[in-house]
């Protein structure tokens, strides 16, 4: 049995202007010890999906459809009290805004000890020892337990948050851009630490990032999201060797450590689609160099192009041509021109 099964999940936000469909028909499974990277540009629904696993959506957000099965039980239908029990202990989140999760007026150690005691039967001494232990695991000295958050650097605070998230050895870790606020060198070190700890405690992980090069280093499986939908899902190795979706091809161009040295860095022109009034057809049609009339009419369904490799594109047979064309700057310049002509851009 997989640890997590996400089945046909739709998530909506009610707004003054109507309903925004932030996540549409997302399905995947996460096995024990597996690390899945959820990637896509800002606004594609990654955080919304991750928050739904902990039922931490804002009050105007709602899981409108689907099931989220964790250890065989549907999280969607659990009571708030049952969900509270799962948080931290079974499912922990390390997020981009984690640093603000530390209360500025309490010593960091006290906050960790409180978290440990809230979810276990440890006495003060045992909880303190556990806090020292997890601090060591993330490379923080014991004396840092006595620091207030403002006495720590950004990197130290993020390590403290990781320690807090991992202290109860959760089965599922959700890491949402866990290092975005840090400088590149610290980012790299902390990413490796997260993975090492995840391996040690044999957790599974959903890793959220806009940077596919990070996924190539950290995850077994990649899910590419665009406009709230899944565009491609594959093993990381297969994805980087045999990408299919034009959006994935565009993403691979845009990240320096993936593009071969000497190759041009090309970004995808345009901006993400309107999720309030989505057009019929494929979500990526406006920015896709290869879109046809069919793409404007029909939403492509996910097809399995090779074992466990799924792609939502009408033209997967043309992938060889797409791979060649997408490497050329002019291919994307034409998209830019089209966007300007149709007034879809900005
Ligand atoms: N509370 C909210 N009310 C209304 N719309 C929201 C709310 N929170 C998010 N959204 C919208 O839902 C969509 C998905 O947002 P989400 O934050 O999940 O994307 P994301 O891919 O995680 O982006 P980022 O990387 O910027 O966090 C966006 O269009 C966003 O504007």
């Amino acid at each position: 049995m997989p640890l997590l099964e996400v089945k046909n999940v739709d998530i909506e936000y009610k707004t003054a202007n109507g309903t925004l469909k932030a996540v549409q028909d997302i399905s995947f499974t996460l096995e024990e010890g597996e690390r899945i990277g959820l990637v896509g540009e800002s606004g594609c629904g990654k955080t919304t999906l991750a928050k739904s696993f902990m039922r931490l959506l804002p009050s105007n957000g709602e899981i409108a459809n689907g099931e989220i099965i964790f250890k065989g039980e549907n999280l969607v239908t659990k009571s708030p009290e049952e969900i509270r029990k799962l948080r931290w202990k079974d499912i922990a989140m390390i997020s981009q805004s984690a640093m603000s999760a530390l209360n500025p007026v309490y010593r960091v150690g006290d906050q960790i000890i409180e978290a440990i005691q809230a979810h276990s039967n440890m006495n003060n001494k045992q909880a303190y020892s556990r806090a020292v232990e997890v601090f060591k695991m993330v490379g923080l000295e014991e004396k840092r337990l006595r620091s207030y958050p403002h006495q720590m650097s950004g990197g130290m605070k993020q390590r403290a948050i990781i320690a807090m998230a991992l202290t109860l050895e959760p089965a599922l870790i959700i890491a949402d851009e866990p290092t975005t606020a840090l400088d590149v060198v610290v980012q790299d070190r902390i990413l490796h630490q997260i993975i090492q700890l995840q391996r040690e405690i044999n957790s599974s992980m959903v890793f959220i990032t806009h940077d596919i090069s990070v996924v190539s280093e950290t995850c077994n499986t990649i899910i590419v999201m665009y406009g709230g939908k899944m565009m491609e899902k594959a093993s990381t190795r297969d994805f980087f060797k045999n990408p299919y979706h034009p959006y994935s091809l565009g993403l691979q161009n845009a990240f320096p450590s993936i593009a071969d040295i000497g190759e041009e860095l090309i970004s995808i022109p345009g901006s993400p689609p309107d999720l309030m009034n989505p057009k019929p057809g494929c979500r990526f049609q406006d920015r896709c160099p290869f879109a046809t009339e069919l793409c404007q009419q029909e939403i492509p369904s996910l097809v399995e192009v090779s074992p466990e490799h799924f792609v939502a594109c009408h033209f997967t047979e043309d992938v060889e041509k797409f791979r060649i064309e997408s490497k050329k700057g002019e291919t994307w310049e034409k998209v830019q021109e089209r966007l300007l002509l149709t007034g879809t851009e900005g």
Side-chain angles (χ1 to χ4, degrees):
M1 181 173 72
L3 180 77
L4 182 75
E5 268 180 283
V6 177
K7 290 186 182 170
N8 309 103
V9 166
D10 293 341
I11 305 173
E12 298 177 349
Y13 289 110
K14 303 272 179 261
T15 77
N17 301 319
T19 301
L20 186 146
K21 294 179 190 299
V23 168
Q24 272 210 303
D25 200 19
I26 297 284
S27 300
F28 65 90
T29 57
L30 178 71
E31 302 294 334
E32 254 174 58
E34 187 180 6
R35 295 183 299 274
I36 288 190
L38 275 185
V39 295
E41 287 161 291
S42 183
C44 72
K46 309 179 295 288
T47 300
T48 298
L49 183 61
K51 282 185 175 166
S52 74
F53 303 155
M54 285 183 103
R55 292 259 307 272
L56 283 175
L57 289 171
S59 56
N60 64 331
E62 185 197 19
I63 302 169
N65 238 317
E67 294 180 346
I68 300 169
I69 314 282
F70 175 74
K71 290 187 174 171
E73 292 183 37
N74 188 2
L75 298 181
V76 178
T77 51
K78 280 196 177 295
S79 71
E81 186 49 38
E82 286 170 315
I83 289 288
R84 242 191 310 276
K85 283 193 189 134
L86 289 175
R87 283 187 204 138
W88 294 108
K89 195 169 186 311
D90 295 284
I91 308 177
M93 192 154 179
I94 309 168
S95 72
Q96 48 187 327
S97 56
M99 289 186 235
S100 55
L102 287 172
N103 190 327
V105 302
Y106 290 111
R107 291 179 200 273
V108 173
D110 291 343
Q111 299 184 49
I112 293 188
I113 289 165
E114 192 187 310
I116 294 171
Q117 292 192 311
H119 294 281
S120 71
N121 300 321
M122 289 189 202
N123 62 30
N124 289 349
K125 209 172 148 209
Q126 289 166 325
Y128 182 82
S129 303
R130 178 68 184 147
V132 173
E133 195 182 9
V134 288
F135 255 44
K136 280 215 181 103
M137 282 163 85
V138 297
L140 288 173
E141 293 174 273
E142 180 177 349
K143 68 174 188 205
R144 282 290 161 199
L145 285 168
R146 290 190 294 281
S147 299
Y148 288 94
H150 73 268
Q151 295 170 321
M152 294 173 126
S153 68
M156 281 184 194
K157 275 190 274 196
Q158 193 65 335
R159 278 167 210 256
I161 290 290
I162 295 166
M164 199 143 125
L166 305 185
T167 179
L168 298 162
E169 305 196 348
L172 173 60
I173 301 167
I174 299 162
D176 185 359
E177 304 267 9
T179 59
T180 305
L182 305 170
D183 73 61
V184 180
V185 179
V186 181
Q187 270 191 20
D188 206 46
R189 223 178 300 142
I190 293 192
L191 270 183
H192 283 101
Q193 228 154 27
I194 295 176
I195 303 301
Q196 195 187 333
L197 293 172
Q198 172 265 337
R199 285 208 180 107
E200 270 169 35
I201 62 180
N202 197 30
S203 300
S204 307
M205 186 154 95
V206 176
F207 193 99
I208 295 169
T209 177
H210 61 276
D211 182 345
I212 58 167
S213 55
V214 169
V215 175
S216 74
E217 289 165 29
T218 52
C219 297
N220 325 94
T221 308
I222 184 166
I223 292 176
V224 177
M225 284 180 71
Y226 186 78
K229 290 184 77 73
M230 197 192 282
M231 297 287 136
E232 185 154 1
K233 175 179 179 279
S235 71
T236 311
R237 187 182 299 208
D238 197 17
F239 177 81
F240 285 103
K241 232 169 99 192
N242 301 308
Y244 270 79
H245 200 284
Y247 180 57
S248 307
L249 297 171
L251 282 181
Q252 291 204 10
N253 279 337
F255 283 89
S257 52
I258 302 302
D260 293 338
I261 293 171
E263 266 183 37
E264 205 181 346
L265 282 186
I266 312 162
S267 59
I268 306 171
S271 39
D274 178 4
L275 298 178
M276 202 81 85
N277 299 296
K279 286 182 176 180
C282 175
R283 290 277 157 96
F284 190 56
Q285 58 180 280
D286 285 341
R287 301 169 75 191
C288 183
F290 316 113
T292 67
E293 224 167 276
L294 176 65
C295 309
Q296 296 169 1
Q297 289 158 359
E298 265 180 45
I299 297 182
S301 40
L302 278 172
V303 289
E304 193 167 14
V305 289
S306 60
E308 295 304 311
H309 189 151
F310 296 89
V311 183
C313 176
H314 291 302
F315 297 103
T316 50
E317 321 83 65
D318 294 337
V319 69
E320 290 303 337
K321 187 182 104 197
F322 290 176
R323 286 181 191 149
I324 294 167
E325 293 297 313
S326 67
K327 291 272 178 227
K328 299 179 187 161
E330 66 197 55
T331 301
W332 301 94
E333 278 158 24
K334 280 189 201 141
V335 174
Q336 178 70 46
E337 281 162 25
R338 192 179 72 205
L339 288 168
L340 288 169
L341 269 175
T342 53
T344 327
E345 174 64 324

